[in-house]
């Protein structure tokens, strides 16, 4: 299995370590690489888009040609996992910021910086479908306001959505790379227990 972590900006090395640890934990042979050039996407099974600054990631992704190459590789079957800022890039619709050009891979609409200044970062227990209780870390998190079509809600927070899946793709508004609970990577990478 070959996994790439988009290395433009944000929590890149944390995701590389967490995904490598998850492969090891579940005894799956594989490789995790950092993606800074579009050529590197060519034989990936999964791409993880980390948290960071969605406007910056969006701009540099388009300029480098990575944006178009991701869409081409998705047509060939690559799965994409967007965490925090990455979830914004997965959306069909970003309701409050037209500086972000999302990949539109999932039928979700997302609002940036939803939790505001008072709750810039916090941790809470979520109930994730197929996993159960999960301790989640939120940092200047967006929120998924709506999910439609074939998209499945996997976790909620208050009246909103914290995690969703559509086909091989996932969007989550928290940071799985910051906890040592690899069960969520099992879900992303479709690993056996
Ligand atoms: N607030 C950031 C954005 O809108 C996301 C925060 C994060 O990824 N930790 O891009």
């Amino acid at each position: 299995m070959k996994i790439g972590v988009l290395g433009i900006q944000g929590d890149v090395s944390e995701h590389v370590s967490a995904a490598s640890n998850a492969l090891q934990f579940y005894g799956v042979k594989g490789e995790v690489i950092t993606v800074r050039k579009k050529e590197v996407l060519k034989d990936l099974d999964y791409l993880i888009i980390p948290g960071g600054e969605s406007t910056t990631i969006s701009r540099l992704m388009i300029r480098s040609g990575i944006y178009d190459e991701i869409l081409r590789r998705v047509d060939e079957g690559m799965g994409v996992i967007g965490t925090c800022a990455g979830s914004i890039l997965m959306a069909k619709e970003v309701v409050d910021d037209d500086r972000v050009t999302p990949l539109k891979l999932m039928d979700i609409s997302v609002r940036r910086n939803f939790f505001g200044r008072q709750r810039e970062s916090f941790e809470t227990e979520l109930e994730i479908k197929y996993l159960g209780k999960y301790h989640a870390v939120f940092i200047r998190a967006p929120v998924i306001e709506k999910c439609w079509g074939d998209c499945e809600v996997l976790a909620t927070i208050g009246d909103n959505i914290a995690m969703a899946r559509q086909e091989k793709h996932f969007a989550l508004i928290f940071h799985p790379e910051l906890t040592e609970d690899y069960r969520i990577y099992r879900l992303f990478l479709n690993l056996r227990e």
Side-chain angles (χ1 to χ4, degrees):
M1 179 178 299
K2 196 158 172 189
I3 302 161
V5 176
L6 186 64
I8 290 178
Q9 194 256 346
D11 271 5
V12 181
S13 58
E14 292 85 348
H15 264 295
V16 171
S17 320
S20 311
N21 290 342
L23 288 179
Q24 203 173 13
F25 188 80
Y26 290 107
V28 175
K29 278 211 178 72
E31 187 188 0
V32 186
I33 59 162
T34 304
V35 176
R36 293 206 179 84
K37 284 192 199 147
K38 64 174 192 225
E39 289 73 20
V40 185
L41 288 160
K42 72 173 185 302
D43 51 359
L44 295 184
D45 299 299
Y46 294 96
L47 175 71
I48 298 174
I49 306 182
E53 187 56 45
S54 53
T55 49
T56 308
I57 299 175
S58 168
R59 190 161 29 92
L60 297 178
M61 210 162 63
I62 291 170
R63 194 191 294 168
S64 59
I66 288 178
Y67 182 97
D68 289 331
E69 186 62 10
I70 291 176
L71 296 180
R72 200 187 66 74
R73 290 297 339 288
V74 164
D75 279 343
E76 292 179 352
M78 183 177 76
V80 185
I81 298 125
T83 69
C84 203
S87 72
I88 302 170
L89 295 160
M90 298 301 284
K92 274 250 155 96
E93 205 175 77
V94 181
V95 289
D96 58 343
D97 203 327
D98 55 15
R99 291 171 303 166
V100 182
T101 306
L103 291 156
K104 304 187 178 70
L105 295 176
M106 291 178 64
D107 292 328
I108 55 176
S109 82
V110 172
R111 182 178 296 276
R112 293 186 67 210
N113 301 321
F114 173 78
F115 295 93
R117 279 172 184 269
Q118 282 135 11
R119 292 183 81 203
E120 281 222 320
S121 48
F122 60 97
E123 301 185 15
T124 194
E125 299 292 323
L126 294 178
E127 184 69 35
I128 301 182
K129 198 170 170 187
Y130 311 114
L131 287 188
K133 287 219 179 321
Y134 180 89
H135 189 81
V137 180
F138 296 75
I139 304 169
R140 294 201 305 121
V143 86
I144 301 171
E145 288 190 335
K146 272 186 294 182
C147 176
W148 64 94
D150 294 337
C151 188
E152 179 186 15
V153 173
L154 298 182
T156 55
I157 181 160
D159 294 332
N160 288 293
I161 300 163
M163 180 170 178
R165 146 154 103 183
Q166 188 163 4
E167 293 160 21
K168 280 182 158 181
H169 310 309
F170 289 84
L172 44 146
I173 62 171
F174 49 93
H175 286 260
E177 76 285 7
L178 299 181
T179 40
E180 282 179 5
D181 184 342
Y182 302 123
R183 291 176 304 153
I184 199 157
Y185 286 84
R186 177 162 62 78
L187 212 57
F188 298 156
L189 309 174
N190 202 16
L191 306 176
R192 278 169 209 274
E193 227 169 319

